[in-house]
Amino acid sequence: MTSYKKIDQYNEEKTDEIAKDFREILANLGEDIAREGLLKTPERAAKAFQFLTHGYELDPLEILKSALFTEEHKQMVIVKNIEVYSMCEHHLLPFFGKVHVAYIPNGKIVGLSKIPRVVEAFSRRLQVQERLTDEIRDCVQEALQPLGVAVVMECQHMCMQMRGIQKQNSVTTTSSFNGAFEKDKTRKEFISLISNKLN
């Protein structure tokens, strides 16, 4: 009979150090860190937080630059309903939702999968939604130099729903526009397209 062995891709030294901190936190909360249910919790939490913040090890700009193509398309390109999961830097609690990203090409387009990858790279860090929205916009702008970029993000924040004000149905919406999207007509077209179900 062989025993199951899971192979994890984590920095062992970092995992050990973070796990020590979690053991101390659990003890300070009044828990018995020797009880069965908590024996592996510090290590699991250490690995979870490494995964939840692995965006620090990614370069969003290089992600976009790795798949740029010359194309004369001049109309709006939208990738919408991108799932986003991040961690509030104020309370270390999750916030999650969807983000919609658009740009108007100026001679260059990018492989469509790269935009969700950029969202992932920025969101897997300690964040506030407002900054995350701007970082995505600025990265697309720098990499493609398009005629304009638009980002709208809608998220639920566990720091509002699980603690504090405890309003379970609240949704926070942030937006960030530049270039052509600062014009009322273009911005309205973008909002209309992300609001309508085309399928």
Side-chain angles (χ1 to χ4, degrees):
M1 180 177 176
T2 59
S3 61
Y4 170 74
K5 181 174 175 61
K6 182 181 178 183
I7 300 175
D8 286 319
Q9 302 294 322
Y10 295 101
N11 181 305
E12 290 186 16
E13 184 177 338
K14 189 181 291 186
T15 299
D16 289 342
E17 288 300 315
I18 298 172
K20 288 178 185 176
D21 294 331
F22 272 112
R23 284 189 194 93
E24 186 174 346
I25 290 170
L26 289 170
N28 285 333
L29 291 173
E31 270 290 357
D32 175 9
I33 60 174
R35 69 179 175 88
E36 183 182 27
L38 291 180
L39 285 177
K40 293 188 177 180
T41 296
E43 181 182 351
R44 291 189 188 106
K47 290 177 179 178
F49 267 80
Q50 285 181 75
F51 175 78
L52 294 171
T53 59
H54 74 265
Y56 292 117
E57 299 173 5
L58 302 174
D59 186 334
L61 189 60
E62 288 305 313
I63 289 172
L64 286 181
K65 287 182 175 180
S66 71
L68 292 180
F69 306 97
T70 301
E71 191 64 50
E72 291 306 311
H73 183 77
K74 292 288 186 183
Q75 301 302 312
M76 199 180 301
V77 177
I78 304 175
V79 182
K80 69 178 189 176
N81 295 328
I82 304 168
E83 294 179 2
V84 58
Y85 299 92
S86 194
M87 294 285 285
C88 165
E89 67 180 33
H90 300 146
H91 301 100
L92 299 184
L93 288 173
F95 67 90
F96 58 91
K98 292 184 177 180
V99 60
H100 318 284
V101 181
Y103 69 96
I104 299 175
N106 188 24
K108 295 286 184 182
I109 61 171
V110 66
L112 294 177
S113 70
K114 302 305 179 186
I115 291 178
R117 289 184 187 278
V118 164
V119 171
E120 181 80 355
F122 282 120
S123 65
R124 295 300 189 176
R125 305 175 182 191
L126 300 182
Q127 280 286 9
V128 295
Q129 184 176 331
E130 296 88 342
R131 182 174 67 238
L132 176 56
T133 307
D134 288 343
E135 286 178 337
I136 295 167
R137 179 205 62 195
D138 293 344
C139 186
V140 174
Q141 180 65 42
E142 185 174 351
L144 277 76
Q145 296 296 307
L147 299 177
V149 182
V151 181
V152 169
M153 190 177 301
E154 306 164 290
C155 289
Q156 298 179 62
H157 290 248
M158 290 297 99
C159 57
M160 288 181 65
Q161 295 180 355
M162 292 177 66
R163 59 163 299 283
I165 194 67
Q166 297 183 60
K167 297 302 180 185
Q168 278 71 39
N169 297 313
S170 63
V171 176
T172 300
T173 301
T174 50
S175 62
S176 194
F177 305 101
N178 70 12
F181 287 97
E182 294 179 329
K183 297 178 181 177
D184 191 53
K185 181 180 178 181
T186 308
R187 187 165 60 250
K188 283 182 176 177
E189 180 186 352
F190 167 67
I191 298 299
S192 175
L193 287 171
I194 66 172
S195 300
N196 294 333
K197 291 187 176 180
L198 301 180
N199 51 3

